[in-house]
Amino acid sequence: MFSLHGIGVSAGIVVARARLLGSGEQVDVPHYHIAAAETEAEVARLEDAMRLVRQEMRDVAAQLPDDAPPESRALLEVHAMLLDDPALTGEAAKAIRLSLWCAEWAVSTQAAELGMQFEAIEDPYLRERGRDVRQVADRVLRTLAGMPSANAAGDEPAVIVASDIAPADMLQLRHALGFVIDQGGVTSHTAILARGMNVPAIVGAGRASEFIRDDDLLILDGHQGVVIVAPDEAMLGEYRNLQAREALDRQRLLRLVHVPCISLDGERIELQANIETPGEAREALAAGAQGIGLFRSEFLFLNRSRLPDEEEQYQAYRDAIEAMAPRPVTIRTLDVGADKALGGFQDAHPTPNPALGLRAIRFCLAEPQMFITQLRAILRASAHGRARLLIPMLAHGFEVDQTIEHIEQAKAQLRQQGLQYDEAIPVGGMVEIPAAAICAAAFARQLDFLSIGTNDLIQYTLAIDRADHQVAALFNPFHPAVLRLIQQTIRGAQQHGKPVAVCGEMAGDPKAAQVLLAMGLRQFSMHPAHLLRVKQSLLRADSTSLQARLARVLVLEDFDRLPEFLEQLEA
Ligand code: PEP
Ligand code: MG
């Protein structure tokens, strides 16, 4: 028995046999010169291989089942786009013509170079794209060598162990009970897909694919990011108990799906879900969400070379709205910048400090054409149900005024064209910057509702980069300054009789949800996976007594009493 560690990217526990994916063996890359007269034939050989790979991807896309993770199509599109990218194909053809390299040599060299360029990028998301380039090149090389693609894993349910898995291969592994992958990080496509498939997964597992053999019995613990190989009976017993408890717990929570969320003292609470793609509305409904409190629209824009046009956006928003009807869907306008970079499009606005730069609403107001396109798409979708518009990263009152001017402009265009939209679509703002929290009452007067983005509010209040693991321990949602700002925002909204929600990660934490309830919050929006646990916590809470106890400890002169209060909540 031994254990291997990695990063747990998709929770849960599974006990099953290992199935090693046949991608481990590297493709041998031939390096030889061709005769000058053969260049065009060699370029044609490369293009044929690329065409075959493209067709293979199209076949995978066509065979995707309805319940495939919503990101699947987008991932296949990224890989297909890389095949069309002149930086890969054009440069490889150039190397064949100018250096007289064989096709394999040319494409592998170009892919390595591109991959290195990606890896030099600080942004972890973009850095991961270097792996996409290598995965695409690997498929082309296999095709040139006449080798099959790398998914010879058989059909029986097993934990898939691999050095790396290309998204297209991953999509053919729908029988997988879990994944152990040597490479990758939390934002890798593999991690995203594993989360979408709802199976335990660890990435960054070092040399797991060398140490684990086919048919080894594994305990894969996605919570802890650990895989135990050939466990003994005692360990198996321990994990089987844990698994049984998890299953029982999930079963119990499911009974709460249709239970209205009312606290012990009779306060009615609204629980909504956060989604990144329209397909996730299904998960939100299954968890009993009363609406979508945050649709992070930027996920339609990331990971691609062309921006989505009005029609594509309209369809996506409409899909979510129709899936949730008659419940409301809150669509946040493009929140790019900082950790969510928009590829080439943002290059026009280089910034020394992305978290404090031209992000979210600032970026949209600087790109009015792009903004109007999105507003038109949201407005058109609003004709199909209950849509709400949410503006990210507000700091200044004039940002609201300017956004409303843009909305009016988009409405006027639609009217002129005779296109339908909801004239009374509510417009809300995100409180994510301390300045907005301090001035919450003024924003509440201007807007129809507020939504507190605690992820950024904590980042900006405590000056802690939310993506930097070196300061992660200082990222404290319960810092008194953070709690005071949240409280001030809730009061500001109440002062003007406007609804206020929390849609940051705090809303999805059972303990934090009780603190928010004590502060007067009645609307919570979170990842669907957290919804029932939060409901369970709020059903057991007495808001009146919590409020009185919190008021006694949330005095600025006496911070020390806060941790004790929080500990009691956990008990
Ligand atoms: C937040 O900042 O809390 C929030 C919900 O927005 P995002 O996490 O998308 O920045
Ligand atoms: Mg935010």
Side-chain angles (χ1 to χ4, degrees):
M1 177 171 91
F2 62 96
S3 62
L4 299 163
H5 296 258
I7 309 164
V9 289
S10 187
I13 294 167
V14 66
V15 180
R17 298 275 162 196
R19 184 65 58 240
L20 253 78
L21 206 62
S23 64
E25 78 245 47
Q26 291 291 313
V27 201
D28 242 343
V29 182
H31 290 72
Y32 59 87
H33 282 105
I34 52 166
E38 291 168 2
T39 51
E40 289 320 302
E42 194 65 1
V43 169
R45 192 165 78 88
L46 175 64
E47 284 172 354
D48 283 348
M50 295 213 164
R51 227 186 332 273
L52 264 174
V53 174
R54 220 176 279 128
Q55 186 56 45
E56 207 178 281
M57 281 177 193
R58 239 176 263 138
D59 293 346
V60 175
Q63 287 160 18
L64 276 183
D66 287 347
D67 61 346
E71 302 85 357
S72 318
R73 259 169 243 286
L75 298 189
L76 285 168
E77 204 179 295
V78 172
H79 277 205
M81 253 158 43
L82 284 169
L83 282 170
D84 290 329
D85 192 336
L88 183 63
T89 52
E91 289 300 312
K94 217 191 268 175
I96 295 174
R97 292 192 176 107
L98 297 181
S99 309
L100 302 181
W101 287 351
C102 67
E104 290 90 340
W105 188 358
V107 78
S108 62
T109 305
Q110 194 47 36
E113 217 157 277
L114 258 183
M116 264 169 359
Q117 283 171 20
F118 273 111
E119 255 146 42
I121 299 175
E122 219 172 280
D123 179 283
Y125 184 83
L126 287 177
R127 211 165 44 225
E128 279 291 342
R129 302 296 68 84
R131 285 179 57 230
D132 291 326
V133 175
R134 269 193 294 273
Q135 287 168 346
V136 167
D138 186 71
R139 285 179 91 83
V140 174
L141 287 170
R142 277 170 196 281
T143 308
L144 283 167
M147 287 164 76
S149 65
N151 64 327
D155 274 343
E156 74 275 36
V159 169
I160 305 295
V161 181
S163 161
D164 193 12
I165 309 179
D169 288 333
M170 184 112 177
L171 295 169
Q172 293 173 323
L173 296 169
R174 306 205 49 77
H175 56 277
L177 296 176
F179 292 94
V180 178
I181 297 164
D182 296 352
Q183 300 179 37
V186 235
T187 59
S188 64
H189 279 151
T190 316
I192 296 170
L193 281 178
R195 271 196 291 272
M197 288 181 185
N198 240 337
V199 291
I202 65 176
V203 298
R207 292 159 63 192
S209 69
E210 282 175 42
F211 296 133
I212 298 174
R213 285 162 312 175
D214 247 343
D215 278 332
D216 273 348
L217 186 63
L218 305 180
I219 297 175
L220 171 58
D221 181 346
H223 300 285
Q224 308 291 335
V226 63
V227 57
I228 300 159
V229 186
D232 59 24
E233 272 310 313
M235 185 63 81
L236 270 175
E238 203 175 299
Y239 266 96
R240 290 222 158 98
N241 282 343
L242 270 175
Q243 247 184 328
R245 228 179 300 155
E246 244 184 23
L248 196 69
D249 207 31
R250 264 199 309 274
Q251 219 42 46
R252 283 211 188 104
L253 279 177
L254 277 178
R255 291 190 211 140
L256 297 179
V257 169
H258 301 295
V259 174
C261 190
I262 300 172
S263 69
L264 281 182
D265 54 331
E267 287 294 319
R268 202 167 265 278
I269 300 150
E270 199 173 333
L271 299 183
Q272 300 194 341
N274 295 352
I275 58 170
E276 269 111 49
T277 59
E280 287 162 11
R282 202 170 23 192
E283 205 187 329
L285 287 171
Q290 291 166 279
I292 299 300
L294 173 65
F295 179 169
R296 289 181 164 102
S297 70
E298 56 275 11
F299 281 83
L300 298 172
F301 291 68
L302 301 178
N303 213 3
R304 53 193 292 166
S305 58
R306 282 179 304 271
L307 296 182
D309 62 14
E310 180 180 318
E311 211 49 40
E312 184 184 339
Q313 290 189 58
Y314 161 68
Q315 263 319 326
Y317 306 143
R318 179 179 170 172
D319 285 350
I321 289 168
E322 288 184 337
M324 294 303 296
R327 303 166 191 82
V329 175
T330 312
I331 303 167
R332 179 172 72 183
T333 57
L334 190 63
D335 178 11
V336 287
D339 56 330
K340 290 175 284 195
L342 199 55
F345 200 68
Q346 268 180 310
D347 294 348
H349 308 282
T351 175
N353 189 339
L356 303 181
L358 197 67
R359 60 170 292 196
I361 190 59
R362 305 168 186 179
F363 179 69
C364 288
L365 292 173
E367 294 285 348
Q369 212 174 339
M370 185 204 66
F371 195 27
I372 291 276
T373 302
Q374 180 173 42
L375 292 173
R376 283 177 54 102
I378 297 173
L379 283 167
R380 283 176 55 201
S382 73
H384 300 277
R386 278 179 68 196
R388 310 199 307 165
L389 248 159
L390 180 60
I391 317 168
M393 297 287 301
L394 286 173
H396 306 272
F398 67 79
E399 289 163 338
V400 176
D401 298 335
Q402 288 182 6
T403 302
I404 288 175
E405 276 168 31
H406 282 81
I407 296 171
E408 289 309 318
Q409 203 179 321
K411 282 181 176 176
Q413 290 177 2
L414 296 180
R415 266 196 309 275
Q416 256 174 14
Q417 292 173 271
L419 293 168
Q420 302 282 311
Y421 65 90
D422 174 11
E423 183 60 51
I425 186 169
V427 179
M430 290 212 46
V431 176
E432 303 176 271
I433 299 178
I438 293 166
C439 299
F443 283 107
R445 199 185 48 210
Q446 278 181 297
L447 291 156
D448 297 315
F449 65 95
L450 299 181
S451 191
I452 309 173
T454 48
N455 308 338
D456 277 312
L457 185 62
I458 299 166
Q459 153 165 276
Y460 292 123
T461 305
L462 302 180
I464 302 296
D465 185 334
R466 59 193 263 198
D468 185 347
H469 68 275
Q470 299 171 94
V471 285
L474 299 173
F475 191 90
N476 178 12
F478 300 113
H479 189 293
V482 172
L483 296 183
R484 302 279 292 212
L485 287 172
I486 295 173
Q487 193 165 52
Q488 199 164 349
T489 308
I490 296 171
R491 286 186 184 149
Q494 287 169 342
Q495 207 176 312
H496 291 279
K498 302 286 173 69
V500 55
V502 166
C503 63
E505 293 299 302
M506 267 182 96
D509 175 87
K511 185 162 72 158
Q514 290 202 1
V515 177
L516 296 169
L517 179 77
M519 290 201 268
L521 193 81
R522 297 294 178 266
Q523 281 186 358
F524 297 70
S525 191
M526 68 208 77
H527 189 285
H530 300 148
L531 205 138
L532 292 176
R533 204 166 293 286
V534 167
K535 188 188 269 190
Q536 185 184 46
S537 163
L538 293 175
L539 286 170
R540 292 172 180 165
D542 180 325
S543 73
T544 320
S545 100
L546 276 174
Q547 189 180 357
R549 282 161 57 205
L550 182 67
R552 280 199 295 276
V553 294
L554 200 57
V555 274
L556 284 180
E557 297 75 16
D558 198 3
F559 287 177
D560 298 350
R561 288 154 66 191
L562 197 57
E564 196 188 319
F565 166 74
L566 295 169
E567 259 162 46
Q568 284 168 1
L569 286 186
E570 214 157 16

